Amino acid sequence: MKIAIIGQSLFGADVYKILRQNGHEIVGVFTVPDDAKGRPDPLASAALQDGTKVFKLKKWRDRNQVLKEVYDQYKELGAELNVLPFCTQFIPMDIIRLPKYQSIIYHPSLLPRHRGASSINWTLIHGDKKAGLSIFWADDGLDTGPILLQKECAVQENDTVDVLYNRFLFPEGIKAIDEAVKLIADTEEPPRIVQAEENATYEPILKKHNCQINFDQPAVAIHNFIRGTDKVPGAWTVLNGEEVTVYGSEIWRRDVPTGREVEVKDSGKPALVHQLGLLLYGNDGQTVNVKQLLLQDGKMIPAAKFGSVDREVTLTELSPEEQKIKASIQEIWKSILNQDLNEDTDFFKAGAGSMDVVRLVEELKDTAGIALHNDDVYMNPTFMSFVTAAILKSRGEGDATFQFNHVKIKANKMDLIVPHELFINNEFVPARSGATTPALCPADESVLCEVSSAQKEDVDIAVRAAKEAFENGDWSRMSHRDRGTLMFRLADLMEQHKEELATLESLDSGAVYTLAIKTHIGMSIETWRYFAGWTDKVHGNTIPLNQARPNRNLSFTKKEPIGVCGLITPWNYPLMMVSWKMAACLAAGNTVVLKPAEVSSLTALKLAELSVHAGFPPGVINVLPGAGRVCGQAIVDHPDVRKIGFTGSTAVGQQIMQSCATNTLKRVSLELGGKSPLVIFSDCDLDKAVRVGLQSVYFNKGENCISAGRLFVEEEIYDQYLRRVVDEVKKMKIGDPLDRSVSHGPQNHRAHLDKLLCYVEQGVKEGARLLYGGKRLDRKGYFMEPTVLVDVEDNMFVAEEESFGPIMVVSKFINGDVEGVTKRANATRYGLAAGVFTKDINKALRMADNFQAGTVFINTYNKTDVAVPFGGFKMSGFGKDLGADAINEYLQTKAVTIEY
């Protein structure tokens, strides 16, 4: 079909491309003149690249008469159909009716509702539950012609014009026009459904003069008005005598927070500036929260900063690579604005519009690989502020607008920026009570900072944020693959910051830096990447049923996320344990309220900071440092938390399970204590058995859930094995965990060190022989000598109970007594891990079959991988971390049956 396209913008350009791609002949394109900077409209650019005739018309008619030269140019093309995508000009009926099939127009509403130029805006302002688009036959009325086809979509509570346009009206509109043209080409009498006048609406075009907020209406109406004008033309009001435009509206369903009151013109109540924005009151006493404000000077700021002193973020020295980024941005700005730049050039004052914002963001992504959002342009409208935002993003520091209270720690030849407040809804906030706990460095007992300590009311706020994100937020509407993209992005940021994370882990938990960077941080990064790859592989099954003739039945299952999940993690691998649980939980589509260990929470808070830079929506990740008996218990008891994932002691695990059963009957997975046996036969590779035996006990200073809690050594090599072990232990260098030559750092905290010393004392008291160590080092910090307790009998306390420290507990077994040593190894209430060293593979596999443990190692130990499920038997708990099994811990199965 021969088609003339009359329209403009990227929408018009994409319509041009799809019609041409599908074999139609575009005989001409009619669009608007170049802008004041000489830039052609995107539709014109697309057509000119193909050599299609382009007409840039300032006007089509004069005194209601079509211009003769325009009519003649148009008629000469011989078009059979006019297609008007995003057409803002009035086209004379002489042109509309001339082609064989006349003209069709795209309109972004479900006609006859919302006729007129601001139809999308009014769809949202009226609070319509559904929106849509119409392709109609042009007539001499204003959007009154017969309907050819329509498509509709649901409107979400917080949709804005941009969101609705980008999610549905733009992509589906292009497809709809293509479908409409096919209908005309392939159908003898394509639909012409006359529009009913009943329920028809026509609203005026929105300009600044009719966009002032009316506060004499319910909060939901105020919210609809604000989102219906976001970003253009923008709803405005007067705060403290200053005219401001407001953006990013949402209904506030939480308790009214503490904050600073601001006078609002024509409102019965003052607004409230608080940590998460600005609250505005409706006449029903309900509130609306806005997140961004445009000031009279053209500067966009977070609403939470209104009236406060702005902290400018400036760049100091740029690397050669960052200089290239700056030059690339300069070229993009020049090409868009068509003018010379200085640091204060304002993107919008220089003539840029909303489509230029999209172009800037996309070109920056293509040329420099930096993914900013449209809001980043509005928040950083001057050239240098935008360069700053882009370079901070490239450094993994996000945009300049994400600011938070932090401490600076200089360590390991680097300056660490350390958040230390609760992380709720993508904001760092102090505990409501003001409570804090000191974060102590176990290497020198110094105070690193004061960390906010969450109480029950903080848990309530965090759970509400997580529930909102799960049920109504971007996370719930996001595709599985988009979730995976965010997780991959977070992993990349963790890798970029791995030296900082490892340093912080060493300072906060006492982990040796070399181990921290390889395992604590390295495996955390691997975990996020592994589960990011799982996000789009969660699916159910189809199930055959016995047929009830003559009908047939089909059943299928769906794997769905559970909802808000509470995660409680230990202090021995602060970041890795968080990652093991949280990555699987988020990959399944849930949201999280995390309580990291009270004594080692800093890397979890740093992870939260990086999640904002990665682009995670508010409420998806919430991190609440605090005491287990207060914060942890409140999470466990909360009725809106539907799953608990816990790693810690068996005693606490039992309390959690009891609470979950008594209060809300929520799902639980528990990874608890261990007393893992390692059996060493005389036919082993002795060098390897000594080396790995040491690692099995002293890895991460023994603060390791699968640490070999008891070694069984065959009588024939018992004395030789002990001699060699002690020789090696004496070579271990104990000291500052940031020293690269140190292999053994301090215990995590004072109470744990004291417990370990009592453990050794109890063992000796019951008859075990202290072969080496057993004392606290005479130096500052929580350092304990690696310890070897031998000749341990089965009835001793140290044979039955876990130390969770650098204490090797060794027992002898009779030569060749495979059955006896297996029985002794299993004679524990725990079942987390077990190991065996022997060159006899048949013996090894028989023992693996008989070990009552969730993980078994043969001729190795401590070898875990993100793809291998991890979890215990018996009183070591149930449920799995890692591997495909972990995803199922955070999913629930729904069965659907259809009869047809």
Side-chain angles (χ1 to χ4, degrees):
M1 185 182 294
K2 292 181 178 181
I3 294 173
I5 294 180
I6 307 173
Q8 65 191 90
S9 83
L10 287 172
F11 185 83
D14 281 0
V15 168
Y16 165 83
K17 290 172 186 174
I18 196 170
L19 293 180
R20 195 168 182 274
Q21 175 185 314
N22 288 338
H24 300 291
E25 181 184 352
I26 310 301
V27 295
V29 162
F30 294 83
T31 188
V32 293
D34 297 347
D35 66 15
K37 305 294 184 183
R39 297 171 299 180
D41 182 83
L43 173 57
S45 298
L48 288 169
Q49 287 179 1
D50 299 326
T52 301
K53 290 181 179 179
V54 174
F55 304 89
K56 302 177 182 179
L57 302 181
K58 187 175 182 179
K59 61 180 182 177
W60 287 76
R61 59 187 181 175
D62 184 31
R63 298 175 187 174
N64 290 328
Q65 298 296 315
V66 63
L67 295 172
K68 185 176 185 306
E69 61 272 23
V70 173
Y71 183 84
D72 291 342
Q73 284 178 325
Y74 173 81
K75 186 175 182 180
E76 191 177 317
L77 298 174
E80 298 174 287
L81 175 70
N82 291 330
V83 174
L84 282 68
F86 209 80
C87 180
T88 60
Q89 298 170 311
F90 285 101
I91 312 303
M93 292 308 296
D94 309 65
I95 302 294
I96 292 291
R97 291 174 175 156
L98 185 58
K100 174 182 176 181
Y101 298 108
Q102 299 190 355
S103 304
I104 58 171
I105 304 179
Y106 166 85
H107 187 76
S109 83
L110 292 171
L111 292 171
R113 283 185 65 76
H114 309 307
R115 294 169 177 167
S118 297
S119 55
I120 312 176
N121 308 80
W122 288 105
T123 298
L124 298 176
I125 291 170
H126 281 281
D128 291 1
K129 298 302 181 186
K130 63 180 181 180
L133 58 92
S134 303
I135 311 295
F136 71 97
W137 300 92
D139 67 1
D140 54 0
L142 188 60
D143 305 331
T144 57
I147 303 297
L148 173 56
L149 65 84
Q150 291 184 317
K151 293 183 181 292
E152 66 178 48
C153 70
V155 178
Q156 305 296 329
E157 182 181 75
N158 294 320
D159 281 348
T160 63
V161 173
D162 280 350
V163 169
L164 195 56
Y165 183 65
N166 292 327
R167 186 180 75 229
F168 183 82
L169 297 174
F170 187 111
E172 294 303 319
I174 293 164
K175 295 177 191 174
I177 291 176
D178 181 46
E179 184 181 338
V181 171
K182 286 179 183 174
L183 269 174
I184 295 168
D186 300 340
T187 308
E188 194 169 316
E189 292 188 12
R192 287 178 177 267
I193 303 167
V194 176
Q195 291 190 43
E197 287 306 310
E198 186 180 356
N199 297 323
T201 62
Y202 172 80
E203 295 92 1
I205 189 168
L206 288 168
K207 299 286 187 180
K208 181 178 178 180
H209 71 86
N210 57 1
C211 283
Q212 183 174 3
I213 300 171
N214 171 21
F215 290 100
D216 189 20
Q217 57 182 334
V220 68
I222 295 172
H223 166 59
N224 288 337
F225 186 76
I226 294 171
R227 70 190 181 110
T229 58
D230 185 349
K231 292 285 186 190
V232 177
W236 62 275
T237 188
V238 178
L239 303 177
N240 281 355
E242 180 180 359
E243 185 181 298
V244 297
T245 308
V246 302
Y247 303 102
S249 172
E250 63 180 5
I251 297 294
W252 186 261
R253 293 190 173 90
R254 300 168 236 176
D255 296 337
V256 175
T258 56
R260 178 168 41 85
E261 289 189 347
V262 173
E263 182 187 349
V264 186
K265 185 179 179 182
D266 300 328
S267 175
K269 292 191 72 173
L272 190 71
V273 177
H274 63 110
Q275 287 272 357
L276 300 180
L278 175 82
L279 285 186
L280 299 169
Y281 281 84
N283 64 7
D284 57 352
Q286 302 303 306
T287 52
V288 174
N289 192 51
V290 294
K291 297 178 182 176
Q292 297 170 358
L293 302 177
L294 179 65
L295 306 181
Q296 281 182 296
D297 62 4
K299 185 173 185 181
M300 184 87 80
I301 65 166
K305 297 187 182 303
F306 181 73
S308 63
V309 178
D310 189 33
R311 292 183 290 172
E312 290 288 345
V313 177
T314 57
L315 297 175
T316 50
E317 222 173 296
L318 299 184
S319 68
E321 189 60 37
E322 289 169 346
Q323 290 286 4
K324 290 180 184 177
I325 292 173
K326 182 179 179 182
S328 178
I329 293 171
Q330 189 169 21
E331 287 304 310
I332 298 170
W333 275 52
K334 278 185 176 180
S335 69
I336 293 174
L337 301 177
N338 197 25
Q339 67 176 52
D340 292 331
L341 308 173
N342 58 50
E343 291 191 353
D344 296 325
T345 299
D346 188 291
F347 193 66
F348 301 104
K349 290 179 181 178
S354 58
M355 295 313 301
D356 296 309
V357 172
V358 176
R359 177 180 167 187
L360 173 57
V361 169
E362 291 302 315
E363 287 196 24
L364 180 64
K365 189 191 301 180
D366 290 341
T367 57
I370 299 172
L372 293 181
H373 304 288
N374 292 0
D375 280 351
D376 292 309
V377 186
Y378 291 106
M379 299 292 279
N380 301 281
T382 64
F383 175 70
M384 202 56 213
S385 67
F386 185 79
V387 169
T388 300
I391 289 176
L392 288 176
K393 183 75 171 182
S394 74
R395 292 177 180 176
E397 298 175 36
D399 61 76
T401 62
F402 180 50
Q403 299 175 21
F404 52 89
N405 291 327
H406 61 271
V407 295
K408 291 184 178 180
I409 300 175
K410 192 170 185 63
N412 203 18
K413 299 180 180 178
M414 61 181 71
D415 294 316
L416 304 175
I417 302 296
V418 185
H420 57 91
E421 295 180 321
L422 313 181
F423 183 76
I424 301 174
N425 220 31
N426 276 20
E427 295 279 345
F428 285 104
V429 294
R432 284 294 189 91
S433 67
T436 63
T437 303
L440 300 178
C441 175
D444 61 11
E445 303 174 56
S446 64
V447 177
L448 297 169
C449 62
E450 290 288 333
V451 179
S452 292
S453 184
Q455 311 296 305
K456 183 179 182 301
E457 61 180 331
D458 301 302
V459 172
D460 290 340
I461 295 168
V463 172
R464 281 199 294 271
K467 186 179 180 184
E468 177 68 16
F470 179 76
E471 294 180 349
N472 302 311
D474 292 342
W475 190 249
S476 64
R477 297 191 293 266
M478 194 177 292
S479 75
H480 295 70
R481 289 181 185 173
D482 286 344
R483 290 193 197 119
T485 297
L486 292 180
M487 293 175 66
F488 276 121
R489 194 179 297 157
L490 178 57
D492 291 344
L493 286 173
M494 291 168 70
E495 184 145 39
Q496 291 171 27
H497 290 261
K498 64 183 177 182
E499 289 85 4
E500 297 167 58
L501 289 166
T503 301
L504 196 55
E505 194 91 322
S506 293
L507 292 172
D508 197 28
S509 76
V512 171
Y513 177 77
T514 50
L515 176 66
I517 204 162
K518 178 181 182 295
T519 301
H520 287 236
I521 311 306
M523 194 172 189
S524 297
I525 294 168
E526 289 179 12
T527 302
W528 282 97
R529 287 187 174 140
Y530 174 80
F531 285 111
W534 265 106
T535 53
D536 61 354
K537 299 168 186 67
V538 174
H539 53 76
N541 298 298
T542 55
I543 304 167
L545 300 181
N546 288 333
Q547 305 300 343
R549 297 178 181 176
N551 294 329
R552 291 179 177 273
N553 296 286
L554 170 67
S555 283
F556 62 89
T557 59
K558 298 173 66 180
K559 298 283 190 179
E560 297 182 347
I562 297 168
V564 179
C565 295
L567 305 180
I568 303 173
T569 54
W571 43 258
N572 58 326
Y573 293 96
L575 185 62
M576 194 173 81
M577 292 293 98
V578 167
S579 299
W580 279 22
K581 293 190 185 302
M582 190 187 290
C585 181
L586 295 181
N590 302 286
T591 56
V592 169
V593 177
L594 166 73
K595 194 206 85 66
E598 186 178 22
V599 293
S600 301
S601 60
L602 297 184
T603 46
L605 292 171
K606 191 67 180 179
L607 179 72
E609 177 200 336
L610 295 180
S611 75
V612 176
H613 302 320
F616 277 77
V620 176
I621 295 173
N622 303 274
V623 181
L624 304 180
R629 66 185 180 278
V630 179
C631 176
Q633 190 65 50
I635 292 172
V636 169
D637 291 341
H638 203 290
D640 289 330
V641 174
R642 298 308 311 150
K643 161 72 193 266
I644 294 292
F646 172 75
T647 294
S649 72
T650 296
V652 174
Q654 288 175 304
Q655 292 174 18
I656 287 173
M657 193 170 177
Q658 186 175 38
S659 294
C660 289
T662 303
N663 296 323
T664 55
L665 201 64
K666 55 174 61 82
R667 287 174 58 177
V668 187
S669 55
L670 305 171
E671 196 255 283
L672 307 175
K675 188 66 177 176
S676 303
L678 175 58
V679 179
I680 300 172
F681 287 96
S682 58
D683 63 351
C684 68
D685 177 337
L686 191 57
D687 290 338
K688 186 176 183 182
V690 170
R691 184 176 70 254
V692 176
L694 288 162
Q695 292 174 358
S696 74
V697 175
Y698 301 118
F699 189 82
N700 199 47
K701 355 111 181 188
E703 295 170 352
N704 188 26
C705 54
I706 56 170
S707 175
R710 190 177 180 192
L711 273 65
F712 294 90
V713 181
E714 197 163 16
E715 187 176 28
E716 183 179 332
I717 60 169
Y718 184 74
D719 293 334
Q720 180 186 3
Y721 188 85
L722 295 180
R723 273 197 313 273
R724 294 189 59 174
V725 160
V726 171
D727 287 344
E728 293 302 317
V729 170
K730 289 177 179 177
K731 298 175 186 177
M732 292 170 63
K733 183 175 179 179
I734 306 170
D736 181 0
L738 292 174
D739 183 338
R740 301 330 190 242
S741 65
V742 164
S743 59
H744 193 83
Q747 305 310 133
N748 184 276
H749 52 282
R750 174 65 184 269
H752 182 54
L753 173 62
D754 292 343
K755 178 184 171 186
L756 293 174
L757 296 173
C758 291
Y759 185 92
V760 174
E761 183 181 340
Q762 177 74 10
V764 172
K765 184 178 178 180
E766 290 188 354
R769 180 161 55 100
L770 179 61
L771 193 60
Y772 187 82
K775 303 188 298 293
R776 179 179 182 177
L777 267 64
D778 187 17
R779 59 175 292 172
K780 204 168 186 64
Y782 308 134
F783 292 92
M784 179 178 180
E785 282 184 315
T787 299
V788 183
L789 283 173
V790 302
D791 302 341
V792 173
E793 300 296 334
D794 293 352
N795 61 346
M796 293 180 181
F797 174 81
V798 293
E800 297 175 341
E801 297 299 329
E802 179 181 29
S803 72
F804 211 66
I807 302 171
M808 181 179 284
V809 175
V810 191
S811 299
K812 184 191 301 183
F813 71 92
I814 299 169
N815 292 336
D817 186 12
V818 176
E819 184 178 340
V821 75
T822 303
K823 183 179 288 188
R824 293 174 69 190
N826 286 332
T828 170
R829 58 184 177 145
Y830 300 110
L832 194 55
V836 57
F837 270 81
T838 176
K839 291 179 181 177
D840 184 342
I841 192 62
N842 291 316
K843 181 165 57 179
L845 289 174
R846 282 201 310 275
M847 292 201 72
D849 287 344
N850 293 322
F851 277 139
Q852 297 167 2
T855 298
V856 175
F857 301 107
I858 297 176
N859 294 327
T860 187
Y861 206 88
N862 269 334
K863 186 160 286 194
T864 54
D865 186 89
V866 294
V868 179
F870 182 90
F873 294 174
K874 299 191 287 188
M875 294 193 76
S876 288
F878 49 83
K880 297 294 182 183
D881 291 321
L882 304 180
D885 292 49
I887 287 280
N888 289 320
E889 296 292 334
Y890 298 96
L891 292 167
Q892 52 194 359
T893 301
K894 177 184 288 181
V896 180
T897 299
I898 307 168
E899 187 167 278
Y900 62 98

